[in-house]
Amino acid sequence: MTKLRIWMLCCLFWCTLPSVAQTFIETGKKYPLIQEAGKYVVSGFVPFANVRDEDIYANVLLWTIENVCPQLKEGITEMNVAARSFTCNLALTSPEGSGQKSTYYCRAIFRVAEGKLTYYLSNITVEAPILVIKKITPMEKLNPEKKEAHRQIMDDFVVSGSQLLNNIFDFVVTNRPSAITHWQEISIGKPVKGMTEDECRLAFGKPQTVMEANGEVQWMYNSSFYLFFKDGHVQTIIK
């Protein structure tokens, strides 16, 4: 009888394990448009158990720099390290296979406090081939109740925005950034010896070029700003 109970518990454990291990993308959670003061926004928060606020903040900012900014920290319009918040501009495209060919532009605000990541997407505009009102149309100009094509565009945005948010949330759960000990320098964009590569990305964004030779890594941000890393930490600064 004891062996039977153990076997049943093991089966229960292994059957439930995949659902526990599912990522945000795998669960396919949607984050719908809501109306707020006559505007369409996407707003909410996600709690992360056993993840420090500074790690949540660092991860969201690192993901945005890597996946949203074309170079340096372009697209990040405001960054408040003390408040663990930042604002950026997003450009989303219709998911592959959706049948839509739209581009969506919006402003995103991310803020971290007490283990929760708050997100707020607003100022949403649409660039779609079927819209003839304007080349870039505010989401509020759409009429989903009367026009099926407009409803499809709004649904398409929800899918696109949800994929982006779920990718960010997955990164927060799975990535462990190096220890961030130079937040003050990051907040003012000041390079100092000993900074890690993650800290430099947070402070300055993507380097223009990365080169490695003789165990030393060189990052060039522009013709007068170079960082040289040894064992993952800044050793030499040219600025």
Side-chain angles (χ1 to χ4, degrees):
M1 188 68 176
T2 302
K3 290 183 179 180
L4 178 60
R5 288 180 178 175
I6 293 174
W7 179 81
M8 292 176 65
L9 287 172
C10 289
C11 288
L12 179 62
F13 172 78
W14 287 110
C15 287
T16 57
L17 184 59
S19 62
V20 173
Q22 276 188 317
T23 65
F24 285 87
I25 282 291
E26 287 173 341
T27 58
K29 185 174 180 181
K30 299 287 181 63
Y31 308 93
L33 284 162
I34 59 175
Q35 286 194 304
E36 182 180 276
K39 298 289 185 179
Y40 281 108
V41 303
V42 177
S43 178
F45 68 87
V46 174
F48 295 94
N50 304 317
V51 184
R52 299 183 307 166
D53 283 0
E54 69 173 43
D55 287 342
I56 298 173
Y57 181 60
N59 270 333
V60 178
L61 193 49
L62 284 169
W63 189 94
T64 302
I65 289 169
E66 183 63 30
N67 295 278
V68 174
C69 302
Q71 60 181 350
L72 302 176
K73 288 168 69 175
E74 291 182 358
I76 296 177
T77 58
E78 184 180 346
M79 179 174 161
N80 189 328
V81 169
R84 293 196 176 97
S85 68
F86 71 92
T87 302
C88 66
N89 295 322
L90 299 178
L92 311 174
T93 56
S94 296
E96 186 176 353
S98 68
Q100 299 285 332
K101 295 182 180 180
S102 302
T103 302
Y104 308 98
Y105 305 95
C106 63
R107 180 180 67 180
I109 301 173
F110 295 100
R111 183 175 293 108
V112 180
E114 298 179 350
K116 298 176 182 177
L117 170 61
T118 300
Y119 54 89
Y120 188 84
L121 277 58
S122 62
N123 296 9
I124 305 166
T125 58
V126 185
E127 187 174 16
I130 68 168
L131 295 177
V132 294
I133 303 172
K134 290 182 180 179
K135 185 176 181 182
I136 297 180
T137 306
M139 188 69 79
E140 291 73 27
K141 294 289 185 180
L142 303 188
N143 192 339
E145 287 78 18
K146 293 184 178 180
K147 295 186 177 182
E148 174 63 17
H150 289 191
R151 185 192 64 77
Q152 291 175 358
I153 288 174
M154 296 179 78
D155 290 346
D156 186 59
F157 169 80
V158 169
V159 173
S160 179
S162 297
Q163 287 183 354
L164 177 135
L165 290 172
N166 284 329
N167 278 323
I168 293 175
F169 303 155
D170 282 345
F171 191 75
V172 171
V173 171
T174 58
N175 186 62
R176 290 295 173 264
S178 58
I180 311 297
T181 60
H182 294 91
W183 281 114
Q184 177 60 30
E185 289 78 11
I186 290 169
S187 67
I188 60 176
K190 178 183 177 181
V192 294
K193 290 184 178 180
M195 274 182 150
T196 65
E197 293 184 357
D198 279 346
E199 288 178 321
C200 291
R201 286 190 183 90
L202 292 172
F204 318 113
K206 292 179 181 178
Q208 288 189 22
T209 63
V210 176
M211 298 177 62
E212 184 173 357
N214 301 320
E216 188 175 61
V217 178
Q218 171 193 294
W219 287 12
M220 184 192 80
Y221 281 95
N222 56 53
S223 59
S224 61
F225 182 22
Y226 293 80
L227 296 175
F228 296 85
F229 295 85
K230 189 77 171 179
D231 298 326
H233 293 79
V234 173
Q235 187 177 57
T236 304
I237 301 166
I238 297 177
K239 188 173 185 181

